[in-house]
Amino acid sequence: MILRLGQIELFVTDLNRSKDFYVDVLGFIEVERTEKSLYLRATDEFDQYTLVLTEKPVAALGSFGLRVSTPDYLQELKKKHEEAGIRAEYVEDSGHYGKGPVLRVEEPNGHPVEFYHSMEQIDVGNGQGGVKALPMRYTHLQKGIPPIRIDHMNLRVLDVDKALEYWNGVLGFSISEYVEGKDGGKFAAWTRAKTSTHDVALVKHKEAALHHIAYTVDGIAGVVRTADLLADAGYRDAIDYGPGRHGVSNAFFLYIKDPDGHRIEIYSGDYNRDTDLAPIGWTQEDYERNGRLWWGPSVPDSFFETTPLNPDWMKEPVMK
């Protein structure tokens, strides 16, 4: 089975500039750096890394990874994709350190997906009953907000109903909430493998793209601290939208942009609900009135800008 959203790779145009923003200001933990990539982890995560920044000529979503329960499930997923007429490529070497084999897929809207099981974990002790410290117990070394864990991502798709044929139908993701569009089709849907509100949100747009990635912080105070932190560090213009409260998901939010324009949601306080329960439905009128924003500042035009997708996904060899 699919367990959760586990990793995201963003293409950035200047790795040193990105390091200043993500590590020195926001407080991501730098785990590894190669010539072209920076591997980052949030404070409470056991995986070696959840965010990869890779230097490329053009900023884009490189790929995102969904963790599955067993290595064998990758082959089961490969069969499911082939039966659905979707190309899936099993690759022994993902090209990223600490990560086992992956199943690379270009889902029907063109989004670059990697399914994986094996990921090297951080060292918490000797494995013989001795524990040095859990990952979150290094507060004396932390700076920035800091981000706690990866939570979700929001994708733009041409047709939400068709996208759900894949995310809900092929992959079996639960739908927590949805918006019924004015034209009779769905305008948006929040889908999940875990019990919180979403791993992957799908929103109708003129083209397939990434809207944002999201990391949780320590409560509402952590969200507000992010705005102070960015302004104090000279990144006031990086604040895109918020803080405020979503009606959908109930989350408290702040949207910020990195130096390449990638949008990051700093996020706290959504609910947990069993995945077998019927989804909560909004009309588009109610969503636009109260769903996107329960309270807070009006939505700026910049909020509807997006990040393009990796143009070479499954068209080039895996990185080495």
Side-chain angles (χ1 to χ4, degrees), residues 21-22 26 211 230 235 237-241 254-265 301-307:
F21 183 79
Y22 283 92
L26 295 182
H211 187 263
L230 289 170
Y235 285 95
D237 290 345
I239 299 171
D240 184 39
Y241 173 37
L254 176 72
Y255 293 95
I256 66 177
K257 285 187 174 182
D258 77 359
D260 283 288
H262 298 303
R263 184 180 292 102
I264 308 145
E265 184 178 14
D301 291 341
S302 62
F303 184 70
F304 300 99
E305 297 169 356
T306 59
T307 290

Side-chain angles (χ1 to χ4, degrees), residues 8 36 49 93 116 173 176-177 223-224 266 271 274 312:
I8 296 169
K36 290 294 184 182
Y49 54 90
D93 181 0
Y116 70 98
F173 273 40
S176 64
E177 301 188 51
V223 177
V224 175
I266 304 302
Y271 60 80
D274 293 336
D312 298 317

